Amino acid sequence: MAQLALYRAWRPQRFAEVVGQEQTVQALKNAVRQGRISHAYLFCGPRGTGKTSVAKILAKAVNCSGEAGGEPCNQCFSCQEITRGSFMDVIEIDAASNRGIDEIRDLREKVRMVPAQGKTKVYIIDEVHMLTTEAFNALLKTLEEPPASVVFILATTEPHKIPATILSRCQRYNFRRLTGDEITSRLRMVVADNNLDIEEKALELIARRAAGSLRDGLSILDQCQAYCSGRISREDVLNILGLVDDRFLADLFSCVLDGDIGGIIGSIDRAFAEGKEAVQFLRESSMYLRDLLVAKTTGELAQLSLVTDEVRPVLLQQAGRVGVPEVLAALKKMMEVSVQLRFNESQRFVVETVFLDLATTLTPGEHAAPAATQAPAARAPREEIPWGRVLDMVKERKVTTHALLASGRLLGIKDDLVLIGYKKGFKFHREKMAEKENRDILLQVLEKILKRKVEVEFVLLGEQPENDPVVQKAIELFGADLVEIID
Amino acid sequence: MSSKRVALLWGEEAYLIEKRIRDIIQEQAGAGEEPECLFLDGEQLDRTQLLEALEFVPLFAHNRVIVIRRPRWFGQPGTREAQGLAEVQEVILKYLENPNPFQVLLMTASTITPGNPLVKALKKLGVVEEFKRPDTRTLITWITDECKKRGLQVENQVIGWMAATGQDMFYLENQIEKLSLCFYRRKVTLAEAEEMVENRLEAKIFKLTDALLKRDIKVAYQALQSLLIQGEAPVLVVYMITRQFLTMAKVKGLVERGCSPEEIGSRCGIKKDFVVRKMTGAAAGFSWDEIETIFNQLLEADSALKSGQDGKLVLEVLVVGICSRELKNLA
């Protein structure tokens, strides 16, 4: 027999078994006990917080012949049939795939029929926000004249998509996200019951990554159970989920803040060698920067989404070293690149480039603490070119040149050579820009701004490894002799 | 119900309309005999069905009540809203001349066009009753009664707060019922009620936008988290913030031109004096450079959301950006 997934095996069967949502559960139990069942309920909340489970328990309670204190007995015929999913008067509808007016009209027809097996007919409409406008209108008519002995339970993760007319006809209950402690304690119970061997830290990581959804927590635990033969460690969970350790990210961002290019490249290299996905890696890095920003701006209030208590001191120390504008700029850059990454073939280069860029963005200003010991001894001051001004001045001289130049990106200036990069797909722009007329306009502008004559080179990014800014940077820092390009 | 036996019940407060319908049905149940009630969906009713419904003689009841919900006949003639008007006008006008004395015809609508010929005829020969949203004082009395009916004890401020949430009466009734089930046999505090009863979206977003206008990062962050937990759409949040800063920028411009608060109110479409005062106070805290930067950030946030970036992250970045005094450097 196929093994039942943990989240199904541990689906609560009584109100008392529901984790969190105390007030909702209390109100529903009281409603059952006092016979004050509403004809329509709306359960809202993020996924995995118990909406459908509570709906099923309520369906059992209103049909149960042995109900006591508002709880279903789980022994009578109705309770057992509902648990098995074969009770005729509990109808579950997935609104995501039955969203049209025809389905709701059909429901309106059938709703008038009296219950066949139980006392009350219960319609559980999941993901109700997916219904079309016409279907909502048809549903509203049913809710306006609800037949006796019918209860509607609408469940949704997006209540703002539900028309106000429907909202006001339902008794609304908000299902909140579960706390890490609530998830951990339920996971502990599951672990003990299933004789699983798992580190406490691994459990805490699972609970944190479940982001308030017990179902997600149980699914992750299920995956770990399937992959690991012995004791499940925190590292196992990180590997299974492809996550990056917050300690690792803290070290990486320390390198970024120190401007330790070698450390950055080495860390990224290690992450990729361990099989981390570029998309996930950048997502986790964005979350780390987000935690850094939130810790910096809101202090004690900060709800950290990735950083654990262990690494929190490091984060706070880093937060003291950078200014809000720098972290904001870094986070924006990271978010932009995360989107672009999907369309890029050389993902590793992109990740490296963005971290090297961050090393510049997050260079400590007035917030700087004394330089860390591992920081490179000498970091040559970088000459800045006001790129916005260059573009404006080029535009004043010739609009078409400006359009060609704006498609490129200023990579930097080394001695008297200004490097401008063009991404794949902008080969035409690069070639046109390299033509004498356009190049001369740019050179005149650069001369005026930098107050000296410079040379300019237009490179195509991501095509020749030598043209890649990461490689350029490495050559710049370590010298051409030491840099070996391995394709 | 008066001697007139055809009525149009309309208005924005559906709860009061439904209550009136229930009262009329009860009035008709004279001498212990239940009237036959027929509820029709006005949207799909055509001339023939209407005729059939009006001319049908009940076999087992003395009285009859026909309720036609939201027909499309009371809008502006010739528009889609008044679809089918010509067809049914003749039937209803004819019926109005000689209504069945044992039958009550009720029609409901949320809005009507006063110039609609059917509305005019009903005003003359039948009854047209409007059900507006009750004022705060009436609402407070009603909420107090509803709480008493359920044995629900609440702190004094709770009732005033509920009346000010801006929710309709159906919604409030459901919430009162919920509170009475949650807090069985004990007094409900304002904090508990605030947690359980939903304010209208605007009220919740204003908490965020007000904090942004004051650059209060902590309050803004908490307000944003509560909006996100409740599942508000990030695009909508950005829209509301933009609207608030746009108004603030307009107010700032007008203040600098020396306009009076009344003129500012009328030119910016702000009806309440305290909002003008609030905006004027907030405007003083932002330079034009900062306002421009904020609009750029709002534009960036909007485009980021529409390019599939993480909504929570985008909003957090936006909130920090707006509250940060150093944001000029980010432009």
Side-chain angles (χ1 to χ4, degrees):
Chain A
M1 190 182 146
Q3 193 188 345
L4 205 57
L6 283 179
Y7 78 86
R8 288 187 61 198
W10 282 83
R11 192 186 267 278
Q13 301 299 334
R14 303 171 70 237
F15 283 125
E17 291 170 11
V18 176
V19 181
Q21 330 299 353
E22 293 78 11
Q23 280 185 327
T24 300
V25 162
Q26 188 58 45
L28 294 174
K29 266 166 76 174
N30 286 341
V32 174
R33 202 165 43 207
Q34 297 169 30
R36 286 163 64 187
I37 296 295
S38 171
H39 67 270
Y41 290 95
L42 177 66
F43 291 170
C44 322
R47 64 203 178 88
T49 49
K51 300 180 294 294
T52 315
S53 298
V54 172
K56 285 186 178 165
I57 298 170
L58 182 61
K60 276 196 243 180
V62 295
N63 279 297
C64 180
S65 52
E67 171 262 320
E71 288 277 13
C73 69
N74 281 318
Q75 303 296 322
C76 68
F77 171 75
S78 309
C79 284
Q80 290 191 346
E81 286 288 290
I82 295 171
T83 307
R84 270 197 291 272
S86 51
F87 194 67
M88 282 173 71
D89 294 323
V90 175
I91 302 110
E92 277 187 71
I93 299 168
D94 174 20
S97 41
N98 299 282
R99 60 197 304 261
I101 188 159
D102 291 337
E103 283 88 358
I104 300 296
R105 276 195 187 142
D106 185 46
L107 181 151
R108 286 188 69 196
E109 294 297 317
K110 288 179 181 159
V111 121
R112 310 212 171 273
M113 295 175 201
V114 290
Q117 278 182 297
K119 294 184 269 185
T120 308
K121 223 172 180 176
V122 181
Y123 282 88
I124 301 171
I125 308 182
D126 220 347
E127 302 297 344
V128 71
H129 62 271
M130 297 292 280
L131 289 182
T132 61
T133 312
E134 293 75 18
F136 267 129
N137 285 338
L139 180 63
L140 176 64
K141 283 165 194 161
T142 312
L143 295 180
E144 280 177 339
E145 300 156 39
S149 68
V150 172
V151 173
F152 283 94
I153 305 174
L154 316 179
T156 180
T157 47
E158 298 183 48
H160 58 279
K161 289 188 179 166
I162 297 176
T165 42
I166 300 270
L167 284 178
S168 69
R169 301 296 175 121
C170 302
Q171 207 172 99
R172 176 174 173 168
Y173 288 93
N174 289 331
F175 285 63
R176 62 169 175 83
R177 282 182 200 278
L178 303 184
T179 62
D181 287 347
E182 284 168 340
I183 297 180
T184 313
S185 96
R186 175 49 63 108
L187 291 180
R188 249 183 236 125
M189 204 186 280
V190 176
V191 164
D193 196 76
N194 288 272
N195 291 322
L196 297 177
D197 190 9
I198 183 165
E199 272 179 16
E200 185 64 18
K201 280 186 181 170
L203 268 191
E204 282 165 15
L205 176 64
I206 293 175
R208 190 176 263 257
R209 289 305 171 140
S213 161
L214 183 55
R215 187 172 61 218
D216 285 3
L218 287 168
S219 296
I220 298 172
L221 184 62
D222 227 352
Q223 280 184 55
C224 295
Q225 180 191 355
Y227 280 103
C228 304
S229 48
R231 184 173 172 79
I232 303 167
S233 67
R234 187 169 185 273
E235 280 62 42
D236 290 330
V237 180
L238 287 169
N239 288 335
I240 288 164
L241 297 180
L243 299 175
V244 186
D245 187 11
D246 59 339
R247 167 66 64 187
F248 173 85
L249 284 172
D251 291 344
L252 174 57
F253 276 94
S254 287
C255 291
V256 169
L257 290 175
D258 293 339
D260 178 2
I261 308 290
I264 296 172
I265 302 284
S267 297
I268 295 173
D269 192 36
R270 214 164 58 241
F272 277 88
E274 282 172 13
K276 305 293 179 206
E277 287 288 326
V279 175
Q280 184 70 19
F281 186 75
L282 281 197
R283 192 179 297 147
E284 302 275 305
S285 303
S286 299
M287 294 316 291
Y288 188 89
L289 275 175
R290 177 258 174 211
D291 282 355
L292 189 65
L293 183 69
V294 172
K296 184 151 187 67
T297 51
T298 62
E300 289 298 303
L301 281 174
Q303 292 168 4
L304 303 183
S305 51
L306 182 134
V307 174
T308 55
D309 287 344
E310 247 173 67
V311 178
R312 199 182 179 111
V314 182
L315 183 85
L316 293 175
Q317 190 248 339
Q318 289 174 344
R321 295 179 62 188
V322 282
V324 173
E326 288 80 27
V327 186
L328 260 181
L331 183 50
K332 279 184 183 178
K333 196 173 281 177
M334 190 71 90
M335 285 158 71
E336 274 166 26
V337 174
S338 300
V339 174
Q340 290 164 9
L341 199 65
R342 282 181 258 166
F343 312 106
N344 208 305
E345 285 166 22
S346 49
Q347 295 190 335
R348 182 176 165 163
F349 285 138
V350 177
V351 173
E352 286 174 340
T353 311
V354 73
F355 273 95
L356 291 178
D357 267 357
L358 291 196
T360 316
T361 314
L362 291 174
T363 303
E366 67 268 32
H367 311 268
T373 45
Q374 72 269 34
R379 226 177 137 220
R382 247 179 65 137
E383 186 177 5
E384 293 293 338
I385 299 178
W387 187 235
R389 209 169 133 220
V390 172
L391 286 171
D392 287 345
M393 285 176 70
V394 168
K395 194 177 186 179
E396 279 167 20
R397 284 168 167 76
K398 199 170 176 190
V399 177
T400 47
T401 310
H402 168 262
L404 294 168
L405 188 61
S407 310
R409 184 159 71 100
L410 175 70
L411 298 177
I413 178 168
K414 172 84 176 162
D415 301 326
D416 287 336
L417 180 68
V418 175
L419 271 179
I420 292 162
Y422 283 84
K423 279 190 260 174
K424 248 184 183 176
F426 287 86
K427 198 173 169 188
F428 169 80
H429 297 71
R430 176 191 160 239
E431 281 170 5
K432 292 300 279 182
M433 199 59 220
E435 283 176 5
K436 191 174 181 306
E437 191 190 359
N438 293 321
R439 176 192 285 264
D440 284 350
I441 290 173
L442 176 62
L443 286 175
Q444 283 161 19
V445 168
L446 287 171
E447 188 181 340
K448 199 160 183 182
I449 291 175
L450 299 173
K451 296 187 174 55
R452 70 172 196 274
K453 275 190 187 297
V454 287
E455 265 310 305
V456 62
E457 198 175 316
F458 305 100
V459 293
L460 207 52
L461 302 176
E463 203 172 50
Q464 297 296 322
E466 298 82 14
N467 291 341
D468 195 283
V470 178
V471 180
Q472 295 273 357
K473 199 101 183 177
I475 292 172
E476 184 187 315
L477 288 160
F478 306 109
D481 301 346
L482 289 173
V483 176
E484 187 188 349
I485 301 166
I486 302 168
D487 212 2
Chain B
M1 182 94 186
S2 68
S3 56
K4 293 179 177 176
R5 306 189 69 81
V6 181
L8 167 61
L9 313 175
W10 73 281
E12 56 179 341
E13 195 47 88
Y15 178 88
L16 294 176
I17 295 177
E18 290 303 315
K19 186 176 178 299
R20 185 80 181 105
I21 293 172
R22 284 199 306 273
D23 290 347
I24 291 172
I25 292 172
Q26 214 157 13
E27 277 174 29
Q28 295 303 306
E33 196 183 343
E34 285 290 313
E36 183 188 270
C37 296
L38 182 64
F39 293 92
L40 298 171
D41 176 6
E43 206 172 311
Q44 290 168 359
L45 199 65
D46 60 24
R47 184 179 181 276
T48 321
Q49 289 165 319
L50 177 65
L51 259 175
E52 272 175 20
L54 291 176
E55 287 173 2
F56 186 81
V57 180
L59 292 175
F60 304 107
H62 188 250
N63 285 345
R64 192 160 185 253
V65 179
I66 303 174
V67 181
I68 304 176
R69 283 205 169 94
R70 288 187 296 272
R72 287 181 172 173
W73 313 325
F74 300 112
Q76 184 75 38
T79 62
R80 192 173 170 269
E81 284 69 41
Q83 200 179 311
L85 171 67
E87 280 184 6
V88 299
Q89 193 176 345
E90 182 201 333
V91 178
I92 296 201
L93 289 179
K94 204 169 168 191
Y95 181 78
L96 277 170
E97 284 168 15
N98 187 22
N100 181 344
F102 302 105
Q103 184 163 279
V104 175
L105 171 62
L106 304 174
M107 288 167 279
T108 70
S110 50
T111 53
I112 59 166
T113 303
N116 181 299
L118 206 50
V119 174
K120 280 184 184 168
L122 282 165
K123 275 184 182 163
K124 206 165 143 192
L125 299 164
V127 178
V128 176
E129 267 188 81
E130 186 183 356
F131 294 88
K132 284 184 188 164
R133 191 153 287 180
D135 57 33
T136 313
R137 188 174 291 184
T138 318
L139 212 49
I140 285 176
T141 315
W142 175 78
I143 293 171
T144 311
D145 290 347
E146 289 296 313
C147 290
K148 257 187 207 157
K149 219 191 282 176
R150 292 170 174 80
L152 174 65
Q153 297 170 1
V154 291
E155 277 180 358
N156 284 341
Q157 312 99 295
V158 173
I159 292 179
W161 176 80
M162 280 180 90
T165 52
Q167 297 287 5
D168 65 49
M169 291 171 80
F170 264 123
Y171 196 97
L172 288 173
E173 190 193 35
N174 270 317
Q175 296 294 333
I176 294 167
E177 175 71 7
K178 182 170 88 173
L179 283 177
S180 74
L181 290 167
C182 287
F183 302 98
Y184 187 51
R185 288 180 187 155
R186 77 169 180 85
K187 205 171 212 172
V188 183
T189 64
L190 181 61
E192 285 167 337
E194 277 181 342
E195 204 186 310
M196 297 292 287
V197 179
E198 294 295 309
N199 259 347
R200 286 190 89 79
L201 173 68
E202 288 86 351
K204 285 185 285 173
I205 285 196
F206 283 151
K207 203 169 175 181
L208 169 66
T209 52
D210 282 354
L212 290 178
L213 288 176
K214 289 179 198 155
R215 282 188 165 134
D216 187 337
I217 178 79
K218 290 187 177 169
V219 175
Y221 176 74
Q222 275 181 325
L224 176 66
Q225 293 308 318
S226 107
L227 282 168
L228 291 172
I229 285 170
Q230 280 157 17
E232 300 306 351
V235 175
L236 192 63
V237 177
V238 170
Y239 165 75
M240 293 295 282
I241 299 173
T242 309
R243 204 175 72 169
Q244 198 79 333
F245 273 93
L246 208 55
T247 311
M248 190 268 277
K250 278 186 201 167
V251 170
K252 187 177 175 67
L254 292 170
V255 168
E256 284 175 3
R257 280 190 212 169
C259 295
S260 67
E262 293 74 34
E263 199 180 346
I264 293 173
S266 74
R267 288 179 71 171
C268 296
I270 308 174
K271 287 175 189 150
K272 291 174 182 163
D273 295 345
F274 83 90
V275 180
V276 176
R277 281 199 301 277
K278 184 175 82 181
M279 285 295 178
T280 311
F286 289 86
S287 69
W288 283 112
D289 279 353
E290 286 172 337
I291 292 173
E292 193 183 336
T293 310
I294 288 171
F295 281 128
N296 279 330
Q297 295 197 342
L298 287 163
L299 179 66
E300 268 176 33
D302 191 55
S303 99
L305 289 176
K306 288 166 185 168
S307 342
Q309 290 191 19
D310 183 319
K312 187 181 174 200
L313 261 183
V314 169
L315 287 177
E316 283 178 345
V317 166
L318 179 67
V319 164
V320 174
I322 291 175
C323 291
S324 170
R325 286 207 177 266
E326 303 149 280
L327 84 176
K328 264 173 85 175
N329 307 330
L330 289 172

